[in-house]
Amino acid sequence: KMLLSFRQAEKVMLRASYHSRREVRRINFIKKNNGLEKPPAPEYGEMTNIGTYTPEKVLANGWTPPPKEFPDLPFQVRRSEKGGSIPVYAKYKNGNTRAVTIVRNLNGDVEMLRKDLSILVKSSVTQRPGRLEIRGHHTQAVREYLTSLGF
């Protein structure tokens, strides 16, 4: 007969108590990492562009009229042609379990806007062709930020 170590005997006992392999792995992971602390949150830094524009009126749905003068920034966000709203949309992926905020109609230095948005929402922002995708539902915060910049 072969003698089992304590750890091997514990695994056999866990399996004998009708746990699936996945559940056994989860239990072992929790036991192993029980005393560990969570890693520190990433540092996002300072925003490079801070908005100062306040619109003259804001409708109940969040729409604001476009400003008379557009800001002199290295990037531009064009309003949509129909309705003149700021092109920030929410999209739900993965069977409506994951929210993604999408910013479209971008021109210029999109990388600077991407960094500012990641600092604003404290979430990852991915640059895709023609748009920026932000993890999570941040449409209101992004619209308010772009409005305060003067778009």
Side-chain angles (χ1 to χ4, degrees):
K1 288 185 175 181
M2 190 169 71
L3 295 175
L4 297 176
S5 69
F6 177 73
R7 191 174 296 269
Q8 290 171 337
E10 189 178 45
K11 286 183 181 179
V12 170
M13 288 173 54
L14 281 174
R15 285 197 186 117
S17 61
Y18 302 108
H19 288 294
S20 67
R21 284 186 178 165
R22 179 182 287 174
E23 189 70 15
V24 169
R25 288 183 68 203
R26 188 183 71 78
I27 291 169
N28 289 336
F29 179 81
I30 290 171
K31 284 182 181 178
K32 186 173 112 180
N33 298 321
N34 196 14
L36 299 179
E37 297 179 8
K38 290 184 178 178
E43 292 291 326
Y44 287 101
E46 295 290 323
M47 292 180 72
T48 54
N49 300 304
I50 298 173
T52 56
Y53 175 76
T54 53
E56 56 214 35
K57 67 177 180 178
V58 179
L59 297 183
N61 63 359
W63 183 86
T64 59
K68 293 173 180 57
E69 294 181 12
F70 287 100
D72 185 29
L73 293 171
F75 56 86
Q76 292 291 319
V77 180
R78 280 189 344 259
R79 289 182 174 239
S80 62
E81 297 197 12
K82 186 175 183 181
S85 60
I86 296 177
V88 179
Y89 308 101
K91 185 175 183 178
Y92 296 93
K93 296 182 174 184
N94 204 19
N96 285 343
T97 60
R98 186 171 53 144
V100 177
T101 304
I102 297 175
V103 183
R104 296 178 48 211
N105 297 345
L106 305 170
N107 293 327
D109 188 7
V110 179
E111 182 63 23
M112 182 180 287
L113 176 61
R114 186 192 70 76
K115 288 179 182 175
D116 283 351
L117 289 178
S118 68
I119 293 168
L120 174 72
V121 299
K122 294 183 176 37
S123 182
S124 66
V125 180
T126 307
Q127 185 173 350
R128 303 268 187 224
R131 67 182 190 268
L132 290 176
E133 291 186 359
I134 307 167
R135 289 182 91 176
H137 196 290
H138 305 286
T139 54
Q140 186 175 5
V142 172
R143 274 193 192 120
E144 288 173 359
Y145 173 68
L146 291 175
T147 301
S148 70
L149 287 178
F151 292 112

